[in-house]
Amino acid sequence: MPRPAPDPVRPGQESVWEYPRPPRVERVDKRVQIDFGGTRIVDTDDVVRVLETSHPPVYYLPISAFGGALTLGEGASFCEFKGGARYFDVHGGGGAVAPRAAWNYPDPMPGYEALEDRVALYAGPMDRVVLAGESVEPQPGGFYGGWVTADLAGPFKGVPGSMGW
């Protein structure tokens, strides 16, 4: 499938079509708050994001910011850039559990060492994920873990028909 035409970029937005491939890791000065099962499970400003062409950013937070909200889950996957990933089940208040809702790269490939002790998380299963005061939307399609915010212009990988992007 050919690359789609990027959406117009409004003032204050960045286009995901200007993100690099291979992906880039960068620290951001933003606070992340995550609520699950009616309980705040994360509140941190120690945040890095991974930018990759056609994807909304994936945000990685310190494992320690989750306190006891993570347990090792089942399965693994591999990214050609970042390396082997392991998955975590996320636990919230009232016994809420989201299986395989978070992941990390315990031994990341060169260039991605900043991700070693960090976890990314799917926004969809959570009650609420807030980035710099804005509630995020999950990346379309349910496979990728990017967070969509008003400061992004797409279209975003994950929508129907985007497999070949």
Side-chain angles (χ1 to χ4, degrees):
M1 168 177 237
R3 176 181 159 157
D7 292 342
V9 178
R10 298 188 314 262
Q13 285 189 317
E14 54 189 36
S15 174
V16 298
W17 291 94
E18 294 177 12
Y19 292 165
R21 187 166 173 87
R24 179 177 73 234
V25 178
E26 64 181 27
R27 181 167 293 282
V28 292
D29 186 22
K30 295 183 178 186
R31 175 165 232 89
V32 170
Q33 297 168 309
I34 301 170
D35 297 334
F36 183 49
T39 300
R40 171 85 23 101
I41 62 168
V42 172
D43 188 348
T44 185
D45 60 3
D46 185 357
V47 181
V48 299
R49 68 181 187 166
V50 173
L51 306 179
E52 182 175 359
T53 307
S54 77
H55 294 265
V58 176
Y59 290 85
Y60 287 81
L61 316 172
I63 291 174
S64 61
F66 286 82
L70 299 176
T71 57
L72 197 57
E74 293 185 11
S77 63
F78 185 81
C79 170
E80 66 183 306
F81 302 112
K82 297 178 285 290
R86 64 182 175 180
Y87 289 85
F88 294 92
D89 298 340
V90 180
H91 301 265
V97 179
R100 293 176 44 100
W103 69 96
N104 90 320
Y105 298 92
D107 188 23
M109 294 177 69
Y112 298 93
E113 295 87 355
L115 303 180
E116 183 175 0
D117 293 322
R118 294 180 174 276
V119 172
L121 149 131
Y122 291 107
M126 302 298 108
D127 297 346
R128 186 170 179 217
V129 176
V130 177
L131 175 67
E134 178 184 353
S135 291
V136 309
E137 295 293 326
Q139 183 170 357
F143 181 76
Y144 302 105
W147 296 353
V148 178
T149 52
D151 62 349
L152 299 176
F156 308 115
K157 178 126 176 141
V159 297
S162 65
M163 184 62 79
W165 294 358

